[in-house]
Amino acid sequence: MLKFNEPMSKHCSLRSGGATSEFFQPTNIDELSEFLKNNKKPVLLVGLGSNLLVRDSGFKGVTIHTKNLKELSISKNLIESGAGTSLAKLSRFALAQLKYGAEFLSAIPGTVGGALAMNAGAFGSEVWQYVSSVKTMSLSGELQNRTPKDYEISYRSTLHRFKNEFFVSATFDFNLEKQNDNVGELLQKRNSTQPIGLPSCGSVFKNPKNHYAAQLIEDSGLKGFCVGGACVSEKHANYIINQDNASAMDIENLIAHIQETIKVKHNIALETEIIII
C-alpha cells in the first residue's frame, strides 16, 4: 500500500511531526524487496514510531512501515520474529513456548526492528543478549544473513560495517532455565513509574555513565517544565509528553533546553535515545 503526503504524527507515539512524501506498507518481505529495487528516494524505516520524531517540515522521501512483517515461529528451540512484531507480542509468544528471557521485552513499547537498531533494554536486560542471527535487507532490496559478530553492540547502540542495510527479522535464543521476571509485576512497575497512555516516546535520553538521566532532570527542577505543548512528565522526568498539540519544534526545543540545563548544572552532556529526522 502506497500513500502520499502521509502525516507522520499518525505513526509516531509522540503524535507530532510533519508529513512524509511517500508512505509504503509492504505486506511481506518479497513485496518490500521488489519495491526497493525500483526506489530511488531516501528511505525511513518505521515500526511503532515509539523512538522517533519527524520534524515539522516532514520527510522528503519514502517511509516504509514494517507493521505487516510480524511473523513468529519456533524451530529447534529458537524463535524467529519479523521486524514488525511488537516486543510485547514476542514476549508473550516466548512465554507460551516455555522459553525464558524475553520477559523484560513486555515493558518496552517498540518493535523487534527498532529494538535491534538501538539495542533496546529494560530492567537490566538488553535485546542483543538473546540474538542468534538476523536477516537484513539492503536499500536495493537484497536479503542477507548476519550474526551478532557482524555488529558492535553497546548500551543503546548497534553499529555495523554494512551500511544501507536494515533489519527485517531476527532469530532469538531465549535460554534462561526459568522465568526471570513475572510479566505482570514488570508491567505494574512500568505503569506505576511511567506516564503510560499519554503521547510520549519513552525515555528521551540515554543514562550517562554512573548517572540516571531522570534523576539529573528532576534534580534540576525541570519536572513539569513546558515549551509550547511539550512538557517534561511529572511522573518520570526522562519522558516528554505531548500535552497540548505540541509541534515537533516544541519537542525539539524542550530537548535542547533540558540538555543545556543539565550541562550548566551538572557538566554532563545528555545524549538522546530518540531519533530526530
Side-chain angles (χ1 to χ4, degrees):
M1 180 188 299
L2 183 64
K3 298 180 180 179
F4 299 93
N5 297 316
E6 177 77 356
M8 286 306 294
S9 57
K10 294 170 58 176
H11 304 284
C12 295
S13 59
L14 271 164
R15 297 293 177 257
S16 184
T20 179
S21 301
E22 296 183 10
F23 183 86
F24 179 59
Q25 194 173 86
T27 56
N28 54 49
I29 288 178
D30 290 339
E31 189 177 50
L32 173 58
S33 175
E34 192 64 28
F35 177 84
L36 287 171
K37 287 175 182 177
N38 298 294
N39 177 61
K40 303 298 181 184
K41 300 179 178 67
V43 170
L44 172 65
L45 271 294
V46 174
L48 287 181
S50 57
N51 198 43
L52 178 68
L53 177 66
V54 177
R55 288 180 168 134
D56 297 314
S57 56
F59 178 66
K60 311 306 179 189
V62 56
T63 295
I64 295 175
H65 197 280
T66 62
K67 179 181 179 180
N68 294 322
L69 308 181
K70 54 185 179 182
E71 303 84 1
L72 274 171
S73 62
I74 185 166
S75 176
K76 298 180 180 179
N77 290 320
L78 299 178
I79 292 175
E80 184 171 6
S81 171
T85 305
S86 74
L87 298 176
K89 185 176 180 180
L90 174 58
S91 177
R92 292 193 300 269
F93 182 81
L95 276 179
Q97 303 297 323
L98 303 181
K99 304 300 293 180
Y100 304 126
E103 295 83 356
F104 76 100
L105 295 175
S106 63
I108 303 175
T111 58
V112 167
L116 293 170
M118 66 169 291
N119 190 24
F123 304 117
S125 296
E126 295 177 331
V127 70
W128 276 92
Q129 290 176 237
Y130 300 97
V131 174
S132 176
S133 64
V134 296
K135 289 181 181 177
T136 65
M137 187 170 287
S138 69
L139 292 180
S140 56
E142 298 170 348
L143 202 61
Q144 301 286 346
N145 293 307
R146 305 293 186 197
T147 70
K149 292 182 180 179
D150 292 318
Y151 301 88
E152 183 179 330
I153 310 299
S154 58
Y155 172 70
R156 301 298 177 269
S157 175
T158 304
L159 300 176
H160 54 93
R161 64 180 182 270
F162 307 105
K163 303 300 181 184
N164 299 321
E165 286 186 4
F166 56 91
F167 301 108
V168 292
S169 70
T171 301
F172 296 95
D173 183 9
F174 294 117
N175 51 25
L176 298 186
E177 292 184 2
K178 61 180 181 178
Q179 188 170 332
N180 189 29
D181 294 293
N182 181 282
V183 174
E185 291 178 359
L186 286 179
L187 293 176
Q188 185 177 15
K189 182 176 180 180
R190 181 193 70 168
N191 293 342
S192 65
T193 59
Q194 300 173 10
I196 304 303
L198 297 173
S200 76
C201 63
S203 295
V204 176
F205 301 101
K206 299 178 183 180
N207 288 323
K209 188 175 181 179
N210 300 322
H211 294 278
Y212 291 102
Q215 192 63 54
L216 292 169
I217 297 167
E218 183 173 351
D219 290 348
S220 300
L222 290 174
K223 265 192 170 182
F225 184 86
C226 300
V227 172
C231 300
V232 178
S233 170
E234 293 276 10
K235 197 170 188 180
H236 192 305
N238 199 13
Y239 278 61
I240 287 177
I241 304 301
N242 183 347
Q243 187 163 292
D244 186 20
N245 198 29
S247 65
M249 181 63 75
D250 289 340
I251 295 166
E252 195 169 358
N253 285 343
L254 179 54
I255 289 171
H257 178 78
I258 293 168
Q259 290 174 315
E260 291 166 6
T261 302
I262 301 306
K263 183 64 175 176
V264 170
K265 290 184 176 292
H266 302 280
N267 196 30
I268 292 174
L270 284 184
E271 184 179 351
T272 57
E273 284 192 21
I274 187 175
I275 305 300
I276 301 174
I277 301 297

